[in-house]
């Protein structure tokens, strides 16, 4: 997804990527929390096993997605501020 920098993408593409990434990230977070809950239950019932590492190993993916989402929102906000700045300058003259 990050073949281009966010500053090089069209605003339409950024909005589309933001919506897609938001859905994927929130869904992934729910699944990760579910896995974490199951693993806590299994550790209490049967003890620690190698599969209990899976949610911890997947956590960096969630963090990367959240960082990308934050960068997209920041880029969209800066573009919105630039548009507002340009439109007020054109009305002054």
């Amino acid at each position: 997804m990050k073949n281009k920098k966010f500053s090089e993408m069209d605003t339409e593409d950024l909005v589309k990527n933001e919506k897609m990434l938001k859905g994927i990230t929130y869904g992934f977070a729910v699944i990760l929390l579910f896995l974490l809950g199951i693993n806590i239950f299994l550790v209490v019932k049967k003890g620690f096993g190698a599969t209990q590492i899976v949610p911890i190993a997947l956590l960096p993916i969630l963090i990367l997605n959240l960082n990308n989402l934050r960068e997209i929102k920041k880029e969209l906000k800066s573009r919105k501020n630039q548009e507002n700045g340009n439109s007020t300058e054109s009305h002054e003259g």
Side-chain angles (χ1 to χ4, degrees):
M1 183 176 108
K2 202 171 180 181
N3 296 341
K4 292 182 181 179
K5 292 182 181 180
F6 295 130
S7 59
E8 298 173 355
M9 296 176 76
D10 294 340
T11 304
E12 183 180 312
D13 289 339
L14 278 175
V15 171
K16 188 177 6 173
N17 281 339
E18 179 190 22
K19 288 180 183 178
M20 179 183 64
L21 190 60
K22 190 182 288 187
I24 290 171
T25 302
Y26 292 154
F28 189 69
V30 168
I31 290 170
L32 208 56
L33 285 172
F34 181 71
L35 279 175
L36 190 63
I38 288 174
N39 281 337
I40 290 171
F41 174 76
L42 288 175
V43 166
V44 170
K45 283 291 192 182
K46 297 183 178 183
F48 187 78
T51 57
Q52 273 72 36
I53 298 173
V54 172
I56 297 167
L58 294 176
L59 193 60
I61 296 172
L62 180 65
I63 293 169
L64 287 173
N65 282 348
L66 289 172
N67 285 338
N68 283 338
L69 196 57
R70 187 178 310 128
E71 287 178 25
I72 289 174
K73 286 182 180 182
K74 187 192 310 183
E75 180 65 28
L76 286 172
K77 186 176 180 180
S78 71
R79 289 184 187 190
K80 187 176 182 181
N81 289 340
Q82 284 178 352
E83 287 176 4
N84 289 340
N86 290 340
S87 65
T88 56
E89 289 174 8
S90 63
H91 292 298
E92 290 175 2

